[in-house]
Amino acid sequence: MKVADALPRLPNFSHAILVVRDDAGYPLSAATAFRVIDGGIELAPVKTGENVIRDTADARLVFSHIRPYPGVGYDQRRYIELGGALNPAGAGWRFVPRTARGWDEQDLSFPELCQRALPQARRYLGQLSAERGHEVRPQMALGWRFFLATRLPFLSATIVPVFLGLAAAGYDRRFSFGLALLTLLGGVAIHLGLNVANDIFDTLSGADEANFTPTQFSGGSRVLQYGLVSLRQMAIIAATCYAIAILIGLILVLATGPGLLWVGVAGVLISYFYTAPPLRLVHRGLGEVCVALGFGPIMTLGAYFVQTGHYALRPLVLSIPVGLLVMLILYANEIPDRGADAKAGKRTLVVRMPKDAVLLGYVASVAATYVVIILGVVLRILPWPTLLALLTAWLAYQTFEGLRAHYESPYQLMPFLGKNVKLHLYTGLLLVLGMLVATVSR
């Protein structure tokens, strides 16, 4: 920040903190009133007890403000720090600033400020490591690191389609708990492998490194950027998850027949090449299609096949709404990431399209979701209790309004990205509930 830019901002603060060295060389701080006059700052007399403040060419003047936000945290955070000379002026002092630095939450959000400070944090850890003679890394419990690295809360994207496939099989009077458990474990493993692999390749491509506005729902897990997990450790986690998923898949193929093999192979390939070279499907604008297929028809039909030994129209129709809605999770989460994605050559649909087209795409996908459910019931493919899923239309409307109002503001957008995740989860669970009600009442 330039001094000329800092001075006009000072009237927004109620007081200043003067910082100088005392006779022993330690920092001495005192609050004082101030006013800006002719490029300098007049300070009121400062009381410091027994300590004496003297004129100095190396003083600091700090201005800060923060407002408690009960139940949430804080907002209106801002500060300015000036460096310069302190000279006597009547009963008080005159401060002549030479340097300035500062931050205002209205100009730059606190999370983005933290992200932009990462290179400085890495330099500090590097210097500390050199001084101590061993590597100093950020510390976090193993369980929390695994939780963050694998992004466990997003497993609802797997649980919903698997439960739908099982519910469809139950409607046809076919259900094995052991096979259902294996199916769910296999789906979870492939999903965790995808999450971790996505972080690895987004880091290698520079997409996550260029992202200064990550949210709870976008921008990756950030464990690599924060130094909590190494690239090698992430690769081991991804490889282990994929190995478990493939092993479970082969067991299920042996138990239910080769018809499952092709769905399983498709799921693994889509999962891996989602961000991995040479295909890098998400970079080519195919990420949404891949997610819709993988977490829609592939998982739902796969779960149904494991129970029944064949495919059917009903689970396919059930898979389309949840496939579209899980696609919209990715689609909306790409909005705050679009700047960083564009710099890294990650040409997602949101990067390729203007705001109005992105919003229109969201509305069209939501509309298609509910139309498929209604048509499924009208054509007697789905039982009528699945119409319960239409109750989430209000949540879809709230999400759309949030996307439209806060398209350019990642952190104001964040609550609506959460609603978007709930839209998929609640719609899927209501479809499952509808199938279970229909099964019991048959």
Side-chain angles (χ1 to χ4, degrees):
M1 178 182 293
K2 296 180 180 179
V3 172
D5 296 327
L7 292 178
R9 297 177 181 230
L10 298 186
N12 294 324
F13 297 91
S14 61
H15 65 281
I17 302 295
L18 177 64
V19 184
V20 296
R21 290 189 179 92
D22 66 11
D23 292 337
Y26 291 101
L28 174 62
S29 302
T32 179
F34 70 93
R35 62 177 181 165
V36 181
I37 298 179
D38 299 329
I41 303 169
E42 287 190 358
L43 305 179
V46 178
K47 297 180 180 180
T48 60
E50 298 179 357
N51 294 289
V52 177
I53 292 182
R54 296 183 175 86
D55 56 325
T56 174
D58 186 22
R60 292 287 184 272
L61 203 57
V62 181
F63 308 80
S64 64
H65 173 82
I66 187 171
R67 184 181 73 169
Y69 199 0
V72 177
Y74 302 91
D75 68 352
Q76 297 186 2
R77 291 168 288 195
R78 57 183 182 268
Y79 82 92
I80 292 175
E81 179 181 332
L82 301 175
L86 183 68
N87 302 305
W93 299 90
R94 179 174 174 82
F95 182 86
V96 182
R98 295 190 307 269
T99 63
R101 66 175 183 171
W103 167 69
D104 191 322
E105 193 164 27
Q106 289 185 335
D107 301 328
L108 183 69
S109 69
F110 182 70
E112 182 173 352
L113 177 70
C114 295
Q115 296 300 318
R116 291 186 178 276
L118 280 177
Q120 180 182 353
R122 292 185 187 121
R123 288 194 297 271
Y124 169 75
L125 289 177
Q127 293 168 359
L128 192 61
S129 298
E131 290 176 4
R132 296 190 176 182
H134 63 86
E135 186 178 19
V136 178
R137 298 174 62 89
Q139 299 296 308
M140 181 180 283
L142 179 62
W144 278 112
R145 280 186 286 161
F146 181 80
F147 178 87
L148 292 175
T150 56
R151 288 179 275 175
L152 286 175
F154 285 95
L155 284 179
S156 61
T158 290
I159 294 170
V160 166
V162 170
F163 278 17
L164 265 180
L166 298 176
Y171 185 80
D172 292 339
R173 307 302 185 188
R174 300 289 296 275
F175 183 78
S176 164
F177 179 79
L179 292 176
L181 182 60
L182 274 179
T183 304
L184 183 60
L185 290 176
V188 166
I190 199 71
H191 189 173
L192 296 184
L194 165 64
N195 286 348
V196 177
N198 188 25
D199 265 10
I200 292 171
F201 292 113
D202 275 351
T203 296
L204 294 176
S205 71
D208 282 350
E209 191 69 24
N211 192 338
F212 295 116
T213 56
T215 70
Q216 288 177 303
F217 307 98
S218 62
S221 69
R222 313 301 290 178
V223 294
L224 287 169
Q225 283 67 43
Y226 299 159
L228 294 169
V229 182
S230 69
L231 197 61
R232 179 175 178 274
Q233 290 170 329
M234 291 288 276
I236 291 173
I237 294 172
T240 301
C241 289
Y242 277 119
I244 292 172
I246 292 170
L247 177 60
I248 291 175
L250 292 175
I251 292 172
L252 291 175
V253 168
L254 293 174
T256 62
L260 181 65
L261 181 62
W262 309 113
V263 169
V265 169
V268 171
L269 291 178
I270 288 175
S271 169
Y272 181 75
F273 287 112
Y274 176 74
T275 50
L279 299 183
R280 301 172 78 184
L281 297 168
V282 69
H283 288 245
R284 304 174 190 275
L286 298 174
E288 288 79 4
V289 174
C290 293
V291 165
L293 289 174
F295 292 98
I298 288 178
M299 282 200 171
T300 304
L301 288 173
Y304 180 84
F305 185 94
V306 168
Q307 297 292 325
T308 64
H310 65 272
Y311 298 110
L313 181 60
R314 183 176 297 109
L316 176 61
V317 174
L318 281 170
S319 74
I320 295 174
V322 294
L324 288 171
L325 292 181
V326 79
M327 176 193 76
L328 288 182
I329 294 177
L330 171 68
Y331 187 72
N333 288 354
E334 288 171 346
I335 293 174
D337 290 348
R338 65 190 187 282
D341 287 346
K343 290 179 183 178
K346 193 175 178 181
R347 301 278 294 165
T348 64
L349 290 182
V350 172
V351 169
R352 294 166 185 263
M353 298 190 302
K355 174 183 176 179
D356 289 344
V358 171
L359 294 175
L360 180 60
Y362 186 89
V363 171
S365 299
V366 168
T369 296
Y370 294 122
V371 166
V372 168
I373 295 171
I374 293 170
L375 285 178
V377 173
V378 169
L379 298 176
R380 298 187 178 181
I381 300 170
L382 303 181
W384 70 263
T386 55
L387 291 174
L388 286 168
L390 302 182
L391 294 174
T392 60
W394 175 243
L395 192 57
Y397 174 76
Q398 289 180 316
T399 302
F400 168 75
E401 286 297 310
L403 295 179
R404 183 170 64 176
H406 305 297
Y407 195 87
E408 304 295 339
S409 179
Y411 297 105
Q412 287 181 299
L413 187 62
M414 191 157 53
F416 299 97
L417 298 181
K419 288 180 182 292
N420 199 38
V421 173
K422 291 178 182 177
L423 173 63
H424 167 263
L425 176 61
Y426 296 165
T427 303
L429 292 180
L430 286 173
L431 284 173
V432 172
L433 177 61
M435 291 299 298
L436 294 177
V437 170
T439 301
V440 172
S441 61
R442 288 182 72 185

